[in-house]
Amino acid sequence: MAPIIRPATKADQSAISNICLLTANAGTSSKHLHSHPALPGLIYALPYLILESTWGFVLDDDGEVVGYTLGAFDTRKFEESAETDWWPSLKAHYGPLLHDSAAALTAADRTYINTIMTFPRASDATMAFAPAHLHIDILPSHQQQGWGRKLIARAMENLKENGVKSVWLGMDTRNTEAAAFYARLGFKKLEGAEDGIMGITVQEWEDYAV
């Protein structure tokens, strides 16, 4: 049976978190970098299954989730919802570990925990382009088979259905393969935005990528 793309559910949290971990090191596994392997998913994936103004789809291969695209229709609303309903409990749990010599945190753990403590808001330049943003990650076993394009296509369809006209994403600038993939689909660097931010309008997608 061929893989299918379906809406993400809360039952997918564990699988989505694991995919995030296995792709968080510029597209490769970051498992060896963490003593707290849940951290990447807690920051960059799981909020999109819980908070307001979010959406998600997974690539399901015979019951196994092997990829996802997640995002927010309105980034500012997402940020506000996270400040109220997501970050406080994580700050309370992980923040004290920064000052606990027995916690044995790795450098990557500390970076992620510091991100939890002061998660950066999207820049004004980025928001001027689009209110919406997305993430996409696929396990190596299912990469370079066209599934990335199909997941982006489903995301763009979903955005259009909800009246969103453009979207941006952030990527690790070390991940040159991802940058080339997004460029092939018509994503462009955003003027005035930080490195690694790329965006596309729904109209550009329909004209260029489909």
Side-chain angles (χ1 to χ4, degrees), residues 123-202:
S123 70
D124 290 340
T126 303
M127 293 301 300
F129 176 79
H133 72 272
L134 65 81
H135 297 272
I136 177 172
D137 287 302
I138 303 173
L139 290 177
S141 60
H142 287 71
Q143 293 176 9
Q144 299 183 352
Q145 299 174 37
W147 291 113
R149 175 184 284 267
K150 290 178 180 179
L151 279 168
I152 292 288
R154 184 65 187 93
M156 298 302 292
E157 179 184 23
N158 180 52
L159 292 168
K160 183 177 181 179
E161 289 170 351
N162 285 274
V164 178
K165 296 182 179 181
S166 52
V167 66
W168 56 270
L169 54 83
M171 51 161 283
D172 190 323
T173 55
R174 297 174 299 162
N175 193 343
T176 56
E177 289 186 7
F181 165 72
Y182 297 131
R184 287 196 298 272
L185 297 185
F187 284 78
K188 299 179 178 69
K189 295 180 180 180
L190 301 187
E191 184 176 352
E194 57 267 41
D195 289 344
I197 302 294
M198 303 179 76
I200 192 170
T201 69
V202 172

Side-chain angles (χ1 to χ4, degrees), residues 5 16 25-26 31 39 50 52 60 64 83 88 116 118-119 128 131 142 145 160 163 168 187 191 193 207:
I5 295 173
I16 286 174
N25 184 26
K31 190 173 182 178
L39 284 167
I50 306 295
E52 294 180 14
D60 185 322
E64 179 187 2
E83 282 298 328
I116 288 172
T118 54
F119 190 81
H142 287 71
Q145 299 174 37
K160 183 177 181 179
W168 56 270
F187 284 78
E191 184 176 352
D207 291 344

